[in-house]
Amino acid sequence: MNSRAIAELVFHLGRIASGEGLVEGLTAAQWAVLRYFAQANRFSRTPSAFAAFHATTRGTASQTIKSLETQGYLTRMRSEDDRRSVQLVLTEKARGILANDPFESLVRAADSLPPNIQGQFANALQRMLGQVAQERGKQPFGTCTSCQHLESDSCSRDEQASYACRFTREPLRLEELDGVCINFVPGKSMTMKGSITGAAQR
Ligand code: SF4
């Protein structure tokens, strides 16, 4: 298969997976917002982070977010770490409909792939995403487990290890490692605490 055919498939997959028409009364754009705030970590639950993630303008993002707040799907909460900052979080009403997200068909398709293919596929897509983001001057997003800023006192992801973010200088809970982050820097998997030098590593 040539490169253009692969690119067409990836593009088509993204288009059909995002859905069309109303599902649960929500548009594809509104579902994208709910999906983002369901996955974003505590440093990234803001309208501007969503706008960057979705490569849209802050104005468009704010309008869609406002409509979801009005309908009772999103609410604003003071951050536990920094009482001055406000995070957007999903309400119970939103969590109650997440399983009906049209995007879930793509999740099921990925889930049906053999584990070794999933790993290769994820790596290939991550590389493509990184290159396209760089060419377009867009910020790559990702999770702690492949971020240069993650510190851990263990090489493996086990319950006993403790984790911290070097960028925010905050401890991280195990369940937070899969959250999408605006401060993500790609290129490094888990590191031993104290082994990271000040230099960025790629
Ligand atoms: S380790 Fe990276 S992805 Fe995780 S919170 Fe810190 S900057 Fe974000």
Side-chain angles (χ1 to χ4, degrees), residues 41-44 142-151 164-170 172 176-177 179-185:
N41 70 9
R42 62 190 145 105
F43 311 114
S44 312
T143 62
C144 299
T145 50
S146 55
C147 177
Q148 289 184 21
H149 294 310
L150 180 68
E151 286 185 336
C165 173
R166 191 178 59 177
F167 181 83
T168 60
R169 300 180 189 277
E170 296 268 352
L172 296 167
E176 291 185 299
L177 302 187
V180 169
C181 183
I182 191 174
N183 302 318
F184 169 79
V185 176

Side-chain angles (χ1 to χ4, degrees), residues 7 31 42 48 66 76-77 84 93 95 99 102 110 136 143 153 157 162 165 168 177 181-182 191 195:
W31 275 111
R42 62 190 145 105
S48 58
K66 191 78 199 158
R76 288 172 192 256
M77 285 181 63
R84 290 165 303 177
K93 181 181 177 183
R95 297 200 176 277
R136 301 277 181 88
T143 62
D153 56 8
R157 179 177 174 147
S162 64
C165 173
T168 60
L177 302 187
C181 183
I182 191 174
T191 52
S195 67

Side-chain angles (χ1 to χ4, degrees), residues 27-104:
T27 64
Q30 289 172 318
W31 275 111
V33 171
L34 290 189
R35 200 178 303 133
Y36 174 80
F37 285 102
Q39 293 185 325
N41 70 9
R42 62 190 145 105
F43 311 114
S44 312
R45 295 178 194 138
T46 62
S48 58
F50 169 74
F53 177 77
H54 216 249
T56 188
T57 65
R58 289 188 187 194
T60 302
S62 294
Q63 275 182 7
T64 312
I65 287 167
K66 191 78 199 158
S67 70
L68 287 165
E69 287 184 86
T70 304
Q71 293 179 65
Y73 289 110
L74 280 177
T75 188
R76 288 172 192 256
M77 285 181 63
R78 291 248 165 241
S79 165
E80 286 177 14
D81 311 310
D82 177 0
R83 302 298 294 170
R84 290 165 303 177
S85 68
V86 173
Q87 297 183 2
L88 283 156
V89 294
L90 264 60
T91 62
E92 285 304 313
K93 181 181 177 183
R95 297 200 176 277
I97 63 164
L98 275 184
N100 299 330
D101 182 351
F103 183 82
E104 287 302 309

